[in-house]
Amino acid sequence: MFFSKMLIPTLREVPSDAEAVSHILMLRAGYIRQLAAGIYIYLPLSLRVFDRIYKILREEMNAIGAQEISLPILHPAEVWQETGRWYEIGDEMFRLKDRTGRDMCLGMTHEEIMTWLAAREIRSYRDLPQVWYQIETKLRDEARPKSGVLRTREFIMKDSYSFDKDEEGLEKIYQLHAEAYKKIFTRCGLKFYMVQSDPGMMGGATSHEFMAPSSAGEDEVILCSSCGYSANIELAKSIPHKPENMDWEFEEIHTPEKRTVQEVSNFLKIKPEYFIKSILVISNNTPILTLVRGDQELHEKKLNRIIGKFRPAHKQEVKEILGVEAGFIGPHNQKIRIIADSCLKEGVFVSGANKQHYHVKGIRPDKDFKAEWHDIHIPKEGELCVECNSPIKIERVIEIGNIFKLGTKYSMPLKAFYLDEKGQEKPLVMGSYGIGPARIAAAAIEQNYDKDGIIWPKSIAPFDVEILPINVNDIKTMEVAEKIYKGLKEKNIDVLMDDRNERAGVKFKDADLIGIPVHIIIGEKNLKEGFVEIKDRKTREVTKVKVEEVLSLF
RNA sequence: CGGGGCGUAGCGCAGCCUGGUUUAGCGCACCUGCCUUGGGAGCAGGGGGUCGGAGGUUCAAAUCCUCUCGCCCCGACCA
């Protein structure tokens, strides 16, 4: 491919509304343009990257026996109504009507449609298992599209769905997917972790996420380097360090106008880790008192899984329900439900006294209050692993894939049944598995760039080699350039030739920006001695090579 | 949806506070010519703007006021 024939609109300056590295570089290097919030145009260079990612996806999916099919993006409402998601999902679903007034929606995922198909076409245990996948567009009306291509409203996803006769079969195909995913991300040149993830409010099911470490990510995971425990921070458990046990007697202390943990801590000269932080929340119109240690924060998602939807109580409500101003509330003598973080189970603490301007010191769990114990704090770096007691690390990550055990959540309502060996009708046991190719590309950039531009992993680069003839008006230069170009193409190497009549600086800058892994630089001076240069984009190492020997290196 | 920021040429920005010396400007990009060819060259000439939109105040609005649309960031959300 010749540079002059390809749409590669590079930008010298950083577009003002881009912040994430991958966003800036994809814009500057001429890979994408933005049409509207969360809606992108993919230019020729990015299509080449995607094609390479798709190829890897197909190879690895086919290798585990998955079959590619293609489902519509436009769906009739009825299918979604049957599983109830038509009603459960809110504004995130794009909805529309056809000309006859029939309700339709744009697919944000394809469990319903795949199950619809399975319900019609799978009848016998002899047909099982089946794994179907597609690489198709999804549409979600995201509340906040962000970070360029990382969170968009329209995006392509590789999604596969497995149908089995039982849990055992599901487990097997789930593991096959996990292995395939590891191969895929490894082949794409990414650093990644497979972590436990929140299966959502549906309960029961297991799920894992594949996470590429990057500061541009929206998620955080905790990692234990000693036993390998890894989980999304939304459900990750951890053990906070235990402070030395104090042998305080129960006593009320006057703490005038001292409300926050920090204020009381300073006032009493007692560290926050000896405090019980009491937070009143309202769930289902019922007040619940939640307790975390003074140096911890309440993890709303974790609490959400225990008590369902909730909101913090208003100041006025605290006074009405507990009879004392927020800031002086505590767990003892409370009659309402109490949920406390496990790290408060042992020890002697300070908390509000349920009396204006007073706190109590020497409060003991179980003796002075009863609670349901759960891990409800936000984990912090350096806390201990629940599995092996080693210090944990926290890293920011981009979610690049997930795998889900669905069970019969979709097969039941959509009546996707099969007949087993005994002629008994049973629901298909399902799993679903997703990968976002655009996120792979963006994560690859986030993990591989320098001040001059992108450094693509070889496997997903838009081209393998870029040839840079410095002076296109020099006949000898062009002769050699074209010879190498042809030779590489014959070897099935994807090569971009910068045939533009531009100054050397412009070509070098653009080549570095675009990030093709290998550059062959053809300059007049070197050529006089029979040499060209081969430059490694990543290491910037340049080697002089005899013109005749170039092709043998590839 | 809450909080913050920003909309002036393709891109990056100045001008706005304090309305009129602005025929709306600068850098880059673009077009023509010369020159140049190893890290985004130089000189000369040139094209490109309903100042996001609507309404209002005023003799006069990019500039002040009201409404509205769009985009970005933080948070909530993310089946």
Side-chain angles (χ1 to χ4, degrees), chain A residues 61 64 85 108-111 115 130-132 140 157-164 166-167 169-179 181 185 194-211 219 232 234-235 305 399-411 428-435 439:
Chain A
M61 292 314 295
I64 61 169
R85 286 164 109 189
M108 42 194 300
T109 173
H110 282 81
E111 280 80 9
T115 312
Q130 290 285 334
V131 182
W132 300 337
R140 294 182 189 173
M157 186 166 154
K158 187 292 299 173
D159 46 328
S160 40
Y161 303 84
S162 65
F163 304 92
D164 272 284
D166 50 24
E167 284 291 332
L170 171 59
E171 173 63 23
K172 218 164 129 189
I173 191 65
Y174 188 82
Q175 290 309 329
L176 281 176
H177 267 92
E179 292 312 312
Y181 275 32
F185 298 129
M194 174 172 156
V195 308
Q196 290 177 25
S197 75
D198 184 358
M201 303 252 286
M202 310 315 174
T206 15
S207 69
H208 287 85
E209 286 164 325
F210 291 80
M211 303 295 216
D219 289 296
N232 191 310
E234 290 180 357
L235 80 163
R305 271 195 298 278
E399 181 187 346
I400 46 177
N402 54 36
I403 56 179
F404 249 96
K405 288 190 185 174
L406 298 173
T408 57
K409 179 169 185 269
Y410 297 92
S411 48
L428 290 165
V429 179
M430 297 175 50
S432 80
Y433 318 85
I435 287 181
R439 284 190 174 184

Side-chain angles (χ1 to χ4, degrees), chain A residues 394-458:
Chain A
I394 295 182
E395 256 187 276
R396 191 156 270 276
V397 293
I398 297 168
E399 181 187 346
I400 46 177
N402 54 36
I403 56 179
F404 249 96
K405 288 190 185 174
L406 298 173
T408 57
K409 179 169 185 269
Y410 297 92
S411 48
M412 292 292 273
L414 289 167
K415 301 188 178 59
F417 300 135
Y418 72 98
L419 288 182
D420 71 6
E421 294 90 326
K422 294 171 196 143
Q424 238 178 0
E425 194 170 66
K426 288 193 173 155
L428 290 165
V429 179
M430 297 175 50
S432 80
Y433 318 85
I435 287 181
R439 284 190 174 184
I440 290 183
I445 295 171
E446 297 284 347
Q447 292 183 352
N448 304 282
Y449 70 94
D450 61 19
K451 66 173 179 29
D452 291 310
I454 301 170
I455 306 171
W456 286 110
K458 287 188 161 56

Side-chain angles (χ1 to χ4, degrees), chain A residues 239-296:
Chain A
I239 307 168
H241 78 280
K242 278 203 177 67
E244 198 183 317
N245 225 335
M246 295 299 182
D247 200 21
W248 294 320
E249 288 305 310
F250 190 95
E251 67 173 305
E252 270 189 6
I253 304 176
H254 189 49
T255 50
E257 303 296 340
K258 304 289 182 273
R259 290 176 172 79
T260 65
V261 167
Q262 200 52 54
E263 286 166 359
V264 186
S265 165
N266 291 342
F267 182 70
L268 298 179
K269 311 251 179 319
I270 297 173
K271 286 187 186 161
E273 64 217 43
Y274 289 104
F275 283 72
I276 294 173
K277 198 190 283 183
S278 310
I279 302 153
L280 187 68
V281 301
I282 310 287
S283 172
N284 233 337
N285 287 323
T286 312
I288 298 173
L289 193 63
T290 62
L291 311 178
V292 293
R293 216 168 65 183
D295 60 332
Q296 301 275 1

Side-chain angles (χ1 to χ4, degrees), chain A residues 81-95:
Chain A
Q81 285 163 350
E82 280 172 52
T83 62
R85 286 164 109 189
W86 177 264
Y87 311 103
E88 285 162 30
I89 297 170
D91 293 337
E92 207 174 327
M93 180 184 265
F94 281 107
R95 295 164 207 258

Side-chain angles (χ1 to χ4, degrees), chain A residues 22 99 106 124 134 140 173 372 484:
Chain A
S22 57
R99 62 165 72 200
L106 302 180
S124 159
Q134 59 168 351
R140 294 182 189 173
I173 191 65
E372 297 165 43
I484 294 174

Side-chain angles (χ1 to χ4, degrees), chain A residues 17 73 214 275 280 540:
Chain A
D17 52 7
I73 293 165
S214 156
F275 283 72
L280 187 68
R540 293 168 177 275

Side-chain angles (χ1 to χ4, degrees), chain A residues 249-531:
Chain A
E249 288 305 310
F250 190 95
E251 67 173 305
E252 270 189 6
I253 304 176
H254 189 49
T255 50
E257 303 296 340
K258 304 289 182 273
R259 290 176 172 79
T260 65
V261 167
Q262 200 52 54
E263 286 166 359
V264 186
S265 165
N266 291 342
F267 182 70
L268 298 179
K269 311 251 179 319
I270 297 173
K271 286 187 186 161
E273 64 217 43
Y274 289 104
F275 283 72
I276 294 173
K277 198 190 283 183
S278 310
I279 302 153
L280 187 68
V281 301
I282 310 287
S283 172
N284 233 337
N285 287 323
T286 312
I288 298 173
L289 193 63
T290 62
L291 311 178
V292 293
R293 216 168 65 183
D295 60 332
Q296 301 275 1
E297 297 297 324
L298 175 66
H299 194 311
E300 295 185 6
K301 285 243 162 94
K302 286 181 176 175
L303 184 60
N304 187 57
R305 271 195 298 278
I306 300 162
I307 64 171
K309 273 200 170 165
F310 73 91
R311 60 169 176 85
H314 305 131
K315 284 203 168 124
Q316 193 52 38
E317 287 175 315
V318 173
K319 218 161 181 181
E320 283 162 12
I321 295 161
L322 302 178
V324 65
E325 191 187 322
F328 303 102
I329 61 176
H332 74 291
N333 295 335
Q334 292 298 356
K335 293 191 179 64
I336 61 171
R337 186 177 175 194
I338 298 179
I339 295 181
D341 188 72
S342 311
C343 77
L344 295 173
K345 210 165 179 175
E346 283 166 27
V348 183
F349 299 95
V350 178
S351 85
N354 293 318
K355 187 172 157 188
Q356 193 74 3
H357 303 307
Y358 280 90
H359 279 74
V360 289
K361 189 166 141 187
I363 189 166
R364 287 171 167 77
D366 277 335
K367 175 170 165 283
D368 296 311
F369 68 93
K370 301 270 185 246
E372 297 165 43
W373 303 100
H374 292 277
D375 183 320
I376 55 169
H377 67 272
I378 297 175
K380 281 194 279 206
E381 183 108 14
E383 292 180 351
L384 302 181
C385 172
V386 284
E387 302 286 339
C388 75
N389 241 34
S390 312
I392 53 160
K393 255 185 346 176
I394 295 182
E395 256 187 276
R396 191 156 270 276
V397 293
I398 297 168
E399 181 187 346
I400 46 177
N402 54 36
I403 56 179
F404 249 96
K405 288 190 185 174
L406 298 173
T408 57
K409 179 169 185 269
Y410 297 92
S411 48
M412 292 292 273
L414 289 167
K415 301 188 178 59
F417 300 135
Y418 72 98
L419 288 182
D420 71 6
E421 294 90 326
K422 294 171 196 143
Q424 238 178 0
E425 194 170 66
K426 288 193 173 155
L428 290 165
V429 179
M430 297 175 50
S432 80
Y433 318 85
I435 287 181
R439 284 190 174 184
I440 290 183
I445 295 171
E446 297 284 347
Q447 292 183 352
N448 304 282
Y449 70 94
D450 61 19
K451 66 173 179 29
D452 291 310
I454 301 170
I455 306 171
W456 286 110
K458 287 188 161 56
S459 56
I460 61 172
F463 291 93
D464 302 306
V465 175
E466 175 169 348
I467 301 175
L468 290 88
I470 297 301
N471 183 0
V472 295
N473 298 317
D474 179 58
I475 296 171
K476 187 80 203 298
T477 297
M478 291 316 283
E479 259 176 33
V480 171
E482 272 159 32
K483 210 173 115 198
I484 294 174
Y485 178 79
K486 275 194 193 124
L488 289 173
K489 289 207 67 156
E490 276 162 22
K491 294 192 161 199
N492 261 329
I493 287 162
D494 284 327
V495 41
L496 177 68
M497 166 120 91
D498 192 347
D499 59 331
R500 296 174 302 167
N501 186 11
E502 287 285 358
R503 301 174 62 80
V506 174
K507 293 190 178 193
F508 288 138
K509 286 288 181 192
D510 276 346
D512 286 344
L513 233 199
I514 290 164
I516 295 166
V518 178
H519 303 165
I520 300 177
I521 300 154
I522 303 171
E524 286 175 271
K525 278 176 211 148
N526 280 314
L527 211 49
K528 276 193 185 121
E529 292 150 29
F531 287 103

